[in-house]
Structures are given as C-alpha cells and as structure tokens.
Amino acid sequence: MTAPNVNTLWAETLVAELVAGGVDAVCLSPGSRSTPLTVAFAEHPDIKVFSHLDERSAAFFALGRARRTGEPTPLVCTSGTAAANYHPAVIEANQSGVPLLLLTADRPPELIDSGANQTVDQEKLYGDAVRWYRDMPEPEAEPRKVRMLRTTAARALAESTGADPGPVHLNCRFRKPLEPTPVPDDDPAGVPAGWAGGDDAAEVGRDGPFVTTSQGVAAPDERTVRRVQDTLRSAERGLIVAGPADQGLSAESLERLATATGFPVLADPLSDLRFGPHVDRLDVPVCGGYDGYLGSDGVDEWSDPDVVVRFGASPTSKPLRHYLRDADCQQFLVDPAGGWSEAEFTATDLLVADPDATADALAAGSLGSVAASWREQFARAEQTHWDAVSETAAETYWEGGVLSDVAALAPDPATLFVSNSMPIRDMDRFGRPRDADLTVLGNRGASGIDGITSTALGAGSATADPLVLVTGDLAYYHDMNGLLALGRCAVDATVVLLNNDGGGIFHMLPIDDHPTFEDQFRTPHGLDFEPTEALYSLEFERVADRRQFRERFGESVRADGTQVIEVQFDAGDSHAVRARLAERVAETLAGD
Ligand SMILES: Cc1ncc(C[n+]2csc(CCOP(=O)(O)OP(=O)(O)O)c2C)c(N)n1
Ligand SMILES: [Mg+2]
C-alpha cells in the first residue's frame, strides 16, 4: 500500500480491514475532519456509498440497513455536534440490539477543551449505549500500532454483531493534513521510506481479515432441555409467544417447536413470524388478533395458560403483556443476549441461548399433546376477530383499516416499515397473519417518532423487496430531511401517510379532556405535506376512501419511484371504531 501521508495510510488500512470483514457499504456525511476516512471509503472499489447531508438521518438509515441485514453499515461524520446527531439512532440500536459502527472524526487530544473550532468532548459520547468504545490513537506508520488498527477493525465488527448485537463507537483522531496530500517521508505526518515495500502483516494485511472471528451459538445444556421438556410435556394449556426481533427465531424452528408442543403461536408483527408459509402449514393457530380479544370480557373466563415459551423482546401488545402478567404460570424467556427485556417481570426462567438452538433442542423430544379445546379457543377467537375486522372495514374506513389493507395487499415478498404511535399498534391488531414473505420492521427499542423515514429507507436500500412505509403525520414531519435519501441513495418506496393532524395516540390517554390537550398533546399543525412532492421529487397523492386507497396502493407497490399516499382521518373517529370493533368481538366471544 502506498500512501501519501500517515492519515491516508491509517484510513485506508481501517477501510481495507472492514471490507475484509464483510463491510460493503458506508453512510458518509460531509465535513473536514473526517476527510481521511471519507476519501478512503469513497475511493474503495468494493464500497457502496450512501451520502447523507444530515447525520441524524444518516444514523437512522444505517440502523434500517442493519435491521434488514443483521450487519452494520459504518457511519462517518466530522467532529462536533455532527457526532451528537447520531445519538437518537444509537439509543434505538442499543435498546433493540441492532449493529451500528460509528466512526466519528475528532481533533488531536491537546485541542480538547481549548476553544478550538468545532471541538467538543467526544469521549464516550454515547455513554453506556454502545457495546464497545475506543478512543483511537493518532495515526502513525508504526507496525505495532497498525496491527492494533487492523485488530480493532475486526473487533469492532465482532462486538457489534453476535449474540448481543449493538452499536460500537470508534473516535478517530486526525491532525492535519487531512487530505491525501504527499508529505515527505521524514516528516512526522509522512510514511517512512520502505513502509510500502515491506511484507510485514502490519503493512500489507492478510489474505482475508486480519483476525477471523467465529462466534459460537449458545445452546441450552441437556439438563435444562430435559427440565423444560418435562414442563412442556405436562402442560395442557401452553403458548408460544414471539415478540419483536429482527434476526430472531426462524420460521423453521418455530414450526418444529409448535408441531412438537401443539401450542398456539402468538406472533408479534415485528417477530418476523406473523407472516410466512408456516402460517398455513401449521396445525396450531398462528394468532395475530390477540391484541383485540385478550383482556376482553369473553376471554376473562378462559383458564390461564400453564406454561409460556417466549422469544424476542416484550410484545408490542399491551393486552398480551397484561395477559401474561396476570397468568400464574411458568414462563420461559429465551434471550440470546441475556438482556432481561422483561418490563412486566413475568418470566420465571431465563434461558440465555440461541432461539433456534433452543427451539430445536426442545422439539427433539416427545412433548405430549396439549388439550385440543385450548387450541380451538384461540382459533375461534381469531376467527371472530378477523370476521369483525373485515365487516368493519366494509362499513367504514379508519386508521386500522389502512393497516389491515396494507398487510393484506402487500406484495409477496415485501419489506414493511411501520412507524410508532398508532400505526404499529394498528398493524399489531389488524394485520392478519398470511402466507407471504413480509418482513415487518419498526423502531420499538426506544419507540421514538424520530428517524422513521430514514430507518425505513435504510431498510429498503438493503433489499430488492418493494418497500412500504406506514407513518403518522408527526413522524413524517419529524424526519422530512430523511426523504432526501430517496434520490441521493436511490431508494423507491410506497409511503402511506396517515394524516390525522397531530398525535392521534393522545386521545387514548386521560389527558384527553384537559384544557391543554389540543395545544400541547394532540398538537394539530395544519401542515400541507403536498409540497414534499416538488422538494423531494416524489409523487404525492391524497386519497379519499378505501377503494381509492386500495387501488393506489396496489399500483404504487408495482411502480418505480416513490409515491406518498396520504389518507386523512379524524383520530377521535378512528378510536371510536377501534372501540366498537373490540366490543363486537367481546360480545361474540362472551356469547359463545
Ligand atoms: C422523538 C419523540 N418525541 C416524542 C414522542 C412522544 N410521542 C409518542 S406518539 C406521538 C405522536 C405521534 O404522532 P403521529 O406520528 O402523527 O402518529 P399518531 O399518534 O397520530 O398515530 C408523540 C409526540 C416520541 N415517541 N418520540
Ligand atoms: Mg398523527
């Protein structure tokens, strides 16, 4: 490797090792201090560059890519507040276990706290929200240091992936010259003569990554497997609950466990198990309507489950979380990260092991059979719920009806990103399980309404699937900057914009009748989003009813380019429909 100066050498070495470790894309934002990294990434032939002008959007875009792929896409920004703009996405990545690799450029240490321009304290900027932090030493063409650099690249990738994935932060210090300008080899910023000609591994690297990391898969030990199997075998009313997880339990392992146990499956829309061929193939019901009927009067009389096997994070559905909280039974939580994601404190057993390895090991034994009446109870409740959803959709159009249509009409395959607030709740309640390869993603780690568009577009950039984003109006407003990625990063999407002029979710809270409700909670803004069409070169269309929506949605998912389909609702009316629908289900179930 020939490098004009030590910064170039350092950055090229880091990038080469990341590429050797599997990195094939980067999110770059403009700035001066990051010049060595930016040039090294931009000029690498095997790197696809996603250029972002806004670091907050950049980090959410990288988050979205990682949600879709399970692999980190490095982020590069300059020093100062640029790095702080990564923070919201870092928090989300930390709390939902998504790989991120943050390469923040920084000044040499003597300039910290000196009044130097664009210089802030970037040491451990993201606190405990990262899996690993490293304040990188200043670049130097010294074999031991360069071996450290190569090893650091391998370690950064390993620390951000594996059983407990998350963000990794390397604070990269550079002193001038930052550009690839030649510096004499006897200058401190120069590369010593003969460096490029050596064959030391520090100088040229290895054939492949400098350090190959192999991460084992934790399987439960035999005694644990036997103990859990004994409990499952004696159960009459077992359940499998699949919570949110981007790279969690596979459909194949779920099928094996569900077949062996006969337990109904309650599949969160973010579990990647709500949709897929297993839905029709399994004899046990794969349930998606539980948010609408658990906790209703008709279900009150049901017996509690006597055992629950849970995968993934806490379910999106509050009625399900409460149902599990109130069930006096043994609950096994399988969590490879050992993260104790247990807001209701209902688990009685934590199995720190790989979900597939655990499900497969449990399914290998004979587990007896669960009472048929237990399964039928869920199957009947599901049927009642979905009948009520389609009858209601035929009579009236409400926000939940849009989510029901999106789940039913999304092409196979498709990637769906669903915003926080009511859209994800409505997808949870009204997105009917079906045999289609739908990857449904959301930001439920910290449930922010920021960065939604960018995360969706990042996910879209990592797949050939058609991309659908369902967003609320405040979430759309919050990340309008993210729309620039449509053109700059060449991503197409169908954006379903549910515009109820403010935060419709707040109607569900007791603050609903307080004098401050309108101005400080619902916050109607009256914004007309149509001009985003001209600003971001997309097609914007407002539809008036269900027929129009279904027609435009169907056209858009097959079309090139990006279409924003806005549907306007009154949030109060939508809540009234949700309530009526739930009553209808409860009455039918109570009458059964
Ligand atoms: C960054 C951030 N700020 C504030 C909130 C609090 N919050 C939760 S939902 C919501 C309203 C969202 O409005 P919209 O996107 O229009 O969805 P709707 O409630 O209408 O379904 C707000 C402000 C949040 N979750 N994240
Ligand atoms: Mg809204």
Side-chain angles (χ1 to χ4, degrees), residues 23-63:
V23 166
D24 60 4
V26 68
C27 292
L28 300 178
S29 297
S32 167
R33 192 57 51 169
S34 46
T35 300
L37 290 170
T38 297
V39 172
F41 272 113
E43 297 205 323
H44 197 290
D46 300 327
I47 285 284
K48 182 171 172 59
V49 175
F50 295 103
S51 167
H52 295 271
L53 309 189
D54 173 336
E55 290 81 3
R56 187 167 69 162
S57 293
F60 277 109
F61 188 92
L63 175 85

Side-chain angles (χ1 to χ4, degrees), residues 56 399 419-423 425 446-450 471-476 478 498-506 521-523 525 571 578:
R56 187 167 69 162
E399 292 166 32
S419 179
N420 284 315
S421 203
M422 290 319 294
R425 289 177 171 82
S447 297
I449 54 156
D450 47 347
T471 180
D473 49 296
L474 288 197
Y476 188 73
H478 219 297
L498 293 166
N499 188 355
N500 52 21
D501 197 16
I505 195 170
F506 294 115
F521 293 89
R522 189 168 91 81
T523 56
H525 43 73
R578 290 183 191 99

Side-chain angles (χ1 to χ4, degrees), residues 187-376:
D187 187 289
V191 178
W195 173 267
D199 61 358
D200 184 282
E203 297 170 29
V204 293
R206 297 194 172 119
D207 193 12
F210 198 66
V211 183
T212 302
T213 39
S214 315
Q215 310 206 22
V217 171
D221 60 79
E222 269 179 44
R223 233 184 47 203
T224 303
V225 171
R226 275 200 302 276
R227 179 169 62 85
V228 182
Q229 281 176 333
D230 285 345
T231 310
L232 302 187
R233 201 174 292 120
S234 59
E236 287 183 9
R237 297 179 306 279
L239 283 178
I240 298 170
V241 175
D246 294 333
Q247 327 285 330
L249 181 67
S250 69
E252 294 73 22
S253 294
L254 170 72
E255 277 192 70
R256 282 192 274 276
L257 185 62
T259 304
T261 57
F263 294 175
V265 177
L266 308 191
D268 194 281
L270 301 176
S271 66
D272 211 19
L273 294 166
R274 171 79 65 100
F275 306 98
H278 60 283
V279 168
D280 288 348
R281 225 163 27 209
L282 273 170
D283 283 336
V284 303
V286 176
C287 306
Y290 50 82
D291 187 71
Y293 55 80
L294 289 180
S296 82
D297 292 347
V299 170
D300 272 356
E301 297 139 28
W302 290 12
S303 311
D304 281 349
D306 47 17
V307 65
V308 178
V309 187
R310 262 186 50 199
F311 298 88
S314 250
T316 305
S317 162
K318 200 196 237 174
L320 173 56
R321 291 198 306 269
H322 288 181
Y323 178 76
L324 296 175
R325 179 194 64 194
D326 298 340
D328 182 17
C329 72
Q330 203 155 358
Q331 300 198 18
F332 296 97
L333 174 59
V334 183
D335 181 353
W340 297 84
S341 58
E342 245 295 271
E344 302 291 346
F345 309 107
T346 53
T348 58
D349 288 76
L350 181 70
L351 305 181
V352 183
D354 179 72
D356 283 357
T358 308
D360 291 349
L362 295 176
S366 111
L367 298 178
S369 61
V370 77
S373 57
W374 174 249
R375 268 200 304 273
E376 282 156 15

